[in-house]
Amino acid sequence: MTRGVVLACFHDEWEVLLDSGETVRCSVRARHFADMDSEEKLLAPGDRVMVAVPDESDAFVIEERLPRDTVLSRLRPRMKREVEQVIVANADQLVAVAPLVSPELNRRLLDRYLVIAEDAELQSVVVFNKIDLLDEEQWRPHARAYERAGYAVVPTCALDGRGVDDLRRQLGGKVSVFAGPSGAGKSSLLNALEPGLGIRVREVSQATNKGKHTTSNVTLFSLGGGTLVADTPGFRELGFWRIHADDLDLLFPEFADYITECKFTGCRHSPEPGCAVKAAVEAGDVDAERYESYIKLLEELGG
């Protein structure tokens, strides 16, 4: 028996990076997962597993899935009932790549990523990419807003390498999930981190569209030294998995100092009088655009 981590899930086999550094294709001893709700929940990229090699066969077999520390999930689309789809297991952090231009910065989408990461109890790194296309005074206020909210912020330019070393340090020894809209420059950043990595990510994405992957659509890539990164195709359409309106304010970390000061218990920080969060926004202590994202998401959740 040896330990490994699942890199990708296919219809009938799983790609696993063993502790030895070898990457192998595995079948699964399904009887060990008999108590799970569905095959979709058997394994996900990032799952830590125990792998055995039968004495008289070259086939590697996953014998056990080890307990998960974190789960990044979404509401599976096109289903009439709520079904959890695990995107990545045991991730340490979300790397939200937000282009400043081409396409235009979309802070609503960025805040959606961060809320999902907060709910999954993941750290988050905000990457403002393409800083070469704007003067610093144009993008720096956005960076300050997220720094004040408690997030690590890394401004980058994949073309000239600015910020790439800072980003590499943020990734070191961790399992990181990259998310960002089409055109954000994720492939260019991945290529700057490791030449050819962006191409490999794109090839996997194209293979996924041809039906070779399961519906998770995610592959982990090893950068060595325990550093793993995953791209997340289709993350824009990520449906909230059991995030409730009552809990949304807890997923905006900069609200924490004000929530207990609201006049009414259970304040939604929208129409209620005596709201300390709204007062903080008006005083400039909480970023107004972050607050607007909260209101939009609250409406989406029926709050």
Side-chain angles (χ1 to χ4, degrees), residues 104-174:
E104 184 179 354
L105 176 62
N106 185 341
R107 287 188 52 177
R108 297 287 176 269
L109 180 60
L110 173 57
D111 290 334
R112 186 181 188 89
Y113 294 157
L114 297 178
V115 163
I116 291 167
E118 289 286 339
D119 183 63
E121 299 183 352
L122 303 182
Q123 298 178 18
S124 290
V125 178
V126 177
V127 175
F128 285 116
N129 197 26
K130 305 185 183 182
I131 60 173
D132 56 314
L133 300 180
L134 281 182
D135 293 333
E136 184 169 349
E137 63 264 21
Q138 294 177 280
W139 59 259
R140 181 59 68 181
H142 298 297
R144 281 198 292 266
Y146 289 91
E147 288 168 344
R148 288 172 60 193
Y151 294 108
V153 176
V154 182
T156 59
C157 173
L159 293 179
D160 62 23
R162 277 181 288 173
V164 172
D165 286 341
D166 292 334
L167 179 56
R168 185 179 287 108
R169 282 190 286 271
Q170 292 285 347
L171 302 179
K174 298 177 181 177

Side-chain angles (χ1 to χ4, degrees), residues 165-190:
D165 286 341
D166 292 334
L167 179 56
R168 185 179 287 108
R169 282 190 286 271
Q170 292 285 347
L171 302 179
K174 298 177 181 177
V175 179
S176 301
V177 181
F178 276 65
S182 177
K186 289 182 294 177
S187 290
S188 296
L189 280 175
L190 292 169

Side-chain angles (χ1 to χ4, degrees), residues 26-284:
C26 299
S27 61
V28 65
R29 196 83 70 186
R31 66 174 181 271
H32 294 294
F33 302 96
D35 60 335
M36 296 193 180
D37 293 341
S38 70
E39 187 176 347
E40 291 254 337
K41 292 187 178 181
L42 285 179
L43 292 167
D47 267 324
R48 295 184 289 263
V49 293
M50 297 302 298
V51 177
V53 181
D55 293 337
E56 299 180 359
S57 172
D58 292 330
F60 290 85
V61 180
I62 295 173
E63 295 280 1
E64 180 184 1
R65 188 191 77 192
L66 301 178
R68 290 168 169 169
D69 294 330
T70 62
V71 174
L72 183 63
S73 299
R74 70 173 175 181
L75 180 67
R76 186 182 178 190
R78 298 185 300 276
M79 296 292 289
K80 293 183 179 179
R81 60 188 178 91
E82 289 192 351
V83 175
E84 180 185 16
Q85 182 180 31
V86 178
I87 300 171
V88 180
N90 300 311
D92 297 303
Q93 63 185 6
L94 177 77
V95 179
V97 181
L100 294 169
V101 294
S102 302
E104 184 179 354
L105 176 62
N106 185 341
R107 287 188 52 177
R108 297 287 176 269
L109 180 60
L110 173 57
D111 290 334
R112 186 181 188 89
Y113 294 157
L114 297 178
V115 163
I116 291 167
E118 289 286 339
D119 183 63
E121 299 183 352
L122 303 182
Q123 298 178 18
S124 290
V125 178
V126 177
V127 175
F128 285 116
N129 197 26
K130 305 185 183 182
I131 60 173
D132 56 314
L133 300 180
L134 281 182
D135 293 333
E136 184 169 349
E137 63 264 21
Q138 294 177 280
W139 59 259
R140 181 59 68 181
H142 298 297
R144 281 198 292 266
Y146 289 91
E147 288 168 344
R148 288 172 60 193
Y151 294 108
V153 176
V154 182
T156 59
C157 173
L159 293 179
D160 62 23
R162 277 181 288 173
V164 172
D165 286 341
D166 292 334
L167 179 56
R168 185 179 287 108
R169 282 190 286 271
Q170 292 285 347
L171 302 179
K174 298 177 181 177
V175 179
S176 301
V177 181
F178 276 65
S182 177
K186 289 182 294 177
S187 290
S188 296
L189 280 175
L190 292 169
N191 282 332
L193 290 165
E194 180 178 298
L197 180 58
I199 296 173
R200 282 189 282 154
V201 169
R202 192 178 303 113
E203 287 174 346
V204 166
S205 179
Q206 291 170 350
T208 297
N209 290 334
K210 295 176 183 177
K212 294 183 180 180
H213 272 62
T214 62
T215 51
S216 63
N217 293 354
V218 173
T219 295
L220 283 172
F221 297 89
S222 174
L223 301 185
T227 302
L228 295 168
V229 298
D231 190 25
T232 50
F235 208 76
R236 186 186 182 98
E237 292 77 28
L238 197 66
F240 288 139
W241 173 248
R242 294 183 177 172
I243 294 178
H244 298 286
D246 290 342
D247 301 323
L248 183 62
D249 57 356
L250 302 176
L251 305 181
F252 282 75
E254 66 269 46
F255 290 5
D257 292 337
Y258 307 102
I259 290 172
T260 57
E261 302 300 320
C262 291
K263 181 177 181 179
F264 296 105
T265 302
C267 179
R268 291 287 180 88
H269 321 299
S270 179
E272 299 92 338
C275 174
V277 172
K278 287 194 295 182
V281 175
E282 292 165 2

